Amino acid sequence: MSSLQLWLAVLGALVLAGLVAHGAWQTRRAGGGRAMAAQTSQMSVFREPSFDELDTVLDPQTEPDEEPLPVVTRRSVAPPRIDALIDAIATLNISSPVSGEMALAHLPTSRRAGGKPFLIEGLNFDSGDWEAPMAGAKYREFQAGVQLANRNGALNEIEYSEFVQKIQVFADAIGALPDFPDMLDVVARARELDTFASQHDAQLAMRLQPRQAAWPVGWVEQHVTRHGFVQGVTPGRLVLPSREENAPPMLALIYDPRAALTEDPAQARLTDVTLAFDVPQTPATEDPFNAWCAAGNALALALDALVSDDQGQFLRPESFPMISEELQDLYAALAERDLAAGSPAARRLFS
């Protein structure tokens, strides 16, 4: 059963077309900390001057059956691995095998170069597999890969120099001779990858606001958790977990963290919540878009909410097929670059 079918079964066959959130396609702007902005090249169809309020679509007297989602078997996510697609890779040649204990003892205490993470792997002497160094193993070669880009931007010369310095110290400690790729080539690759990522990074967001009085925080959480959401790692964030263990959540419901941290929860009120879906982080096969639509529909009915995009524009039902078409185009572009949504490389790049 697909995620869409699962949601519709749980939520009582709600009609998605009745209330589909327009959402906001957002991309990153270049800079130190990149804010999300509306795409201009692909999403102009969604930037209409105004939207009609959908009062007639929602029946405030109607509330769907609220049952918890059935237990879903969750798959484990493999740890991150060096990938030539998104990493600049240095090789570390050794004249004799090095123990895992020795490698572990000399790993850099921080495996980050500025805003970019890097990984160190060893070629297992017995299995012939590349892996993170482990005690009890022996290695005949090492490699280190620094990520070329992420949502903080492209790897720059200063970050690459820091990576080289840290790996040189590690290489000296284990008696290895490192071979680093040329800085100019690495930075050029990083900028090209960052340009692609900036053009194909997208989130969808719908904003729910009370029709009448502000909502008590506990009342909102009660409704949301009935649909499978759990507390996130930060205040003011509830998430619908992925089917994969330790993977990014499929959906996130976000609200004012001050309300979540108030000393008297009974007095805390919310004037809006946002239901978000991070496109590159979730496989298309999981149907996250349909889950997002169905969850928004159910919560709008349960909470008696008005629904808009994150710019405050009310939504049209016909937005659904348009967004779906644009989403399929984005999925195709990511897959063509071997960065399919939800893949390990895509999750690292769009992080």
Side-chain angles (χ1 to χ4, degrees), residues 3-343:
S3 296
L4 173 59
Q5 292 169 327
L6 177 61
W7 272 91
L8 294 184
V10 173
L11 302 177
L14 295 171
V15 182
L16 293 182
L19 176 64
V20 176
H22 172 286
W25 283 96
Q26 299 176 317
T27 59
R28 301 175 286 126
R29 287 195 293 265
R34 294 182 170 195
M36 305 295 287
Q39 284 189 358
T40 58
S41 59
Q42 296 181 346
M43 303 308 299
S44 58
V45 64
F46 302 129
R47 299 177 62 191
E48 300 176 86
S50 64
F51 292 86
D52 296 330
E53 185 171 337
L54 297 179
D55 285 344
T56 58
V57 175
L58 295 177
D59 180 358
Q61 302 302 319
T62 303
E63 183 166 328
D65 295 334
E66 295 192 16
E67 301 178 3
L69 292 174
V71 175
V72 177
T73 301
R74 303 184 70 194
R75 304 182 295 272
S76 296
V77 175
R81 300 291 304 276
I82 293 175
D83 188 333
L85 187 66
I86 63 170
D87 292 313
I89 303 174
T91 58
L92 286 73
N93 299 301
I94 51 180
S95 57
S96 59
V98 170
S99 69
E101 287 82 356
M102 184 177 184
L104 290 170
H106 295 287
L107 286 175
T109 54
S110 170
R111 284 182 281 284
R112 295 190 71 85
K116 306 300 180 296
F118 64 83
L119 301 170
I120 297 176
E121 295 177 349
L123 185 60
N124 190 292
F125 187 84
D126 297 316
S127 69
D129 295 330
W130 287 103
E131 63 187 23
M134 297 186 300
K138 288 186 177 181
Y139 299 97
R140 54 188 177 187
E141 188 178 348
F142 289 88
Q143 64 180 3
V146 61
Q147 195 164 316
L148 293 168
N150 57 16
R151 281 175 169 161
N152 290 322
L155 179 75
N156 59 41
E157 291 87 347
I158 295 175
E159 290 172 321
Y160 186 63
S161 297
E162 183 180 346
F163 165 72
V164 169
Q165 182 181 26
K166 288 185 174 181
I167 298 305
Q168 184 67 62
V169 171
F170 172 72
D172 291 342
I174 63 172
L177 181 63
D179 182 13
F180 296 100
D182 180 76
M183 177 184 289
L184 294 180
D185 292 340
V186 168
V187 171
R189 284 185 59 208
R191 290 172 179 167
E192 189 278 330
L193 181 61
D194 180 63
T195 297
F196 172 86
S198 297
Q199 294 171 347
H200 296 85
D201 192 3
Q203 292 183 341
L204 297 179
M206 67 175 79
R207 187 181 182 194
L208 307 179
Q209 297 174 280
R211 291 174 178 272
Q212 300 180 34
W215 299 315
V217 172
W219 186 72
V220 172
E221 292 182 346
Q222 179 183 359
H223 283 288
V224 174
T225 55
R226 287 174 180 172
H227 293 298
F229 285 73
V230 298
Q231 291 289 341
V233 296
T234 57
R237 182 179 173 89
L238 293 156
V239 299
L240 181 65
S242 167
R243 293 172 182 266
E244 299 174 294
E245 292 183 5
N246 302 318
M250 182 181 294
L251 305 176
L253 188 86
I254 305 162
Y255 58 88
D256 187 349
R258 293 172 298 180
L261 294 172
T262 183
E263 294 183 359
D264 186 359
Q267 299 300 317
R269 294 291 187 272
L270 298 175
T271 57
D272 66 87
V273 299
T274 299
L275 185 65
F277 157 38
D278 194 332
V279 175
Q281 291 290 328
T282 307
T285 54
E286 299 292 330
D287 281 336
F289 175 68
N290 290 322
W292 176 73
C293 291
N297 197 8
L299 292 174
L301 291 169
L303 300 175
D304 187 20
L306 296 171
V307 183
S308 64
D309 65 17
D310 65 345
Q311 303 300 314
Q313 297 174 317
F314 291 102
L315 310 175
R316 289 178 174 177
E318 58 266 29
S319 298
F320 173 68
M322 293 189 294
I323 297 174
S324 181
E325 289 177 7
E326 296 288 345
L327 186 59
Q328 295 308 313
D329 290 343
L330 179 57
Y331 281 144
L334 291 171
E336 185 177 358
R337 182 77 182 232
D338 291 329
L339 289 166
S343 66

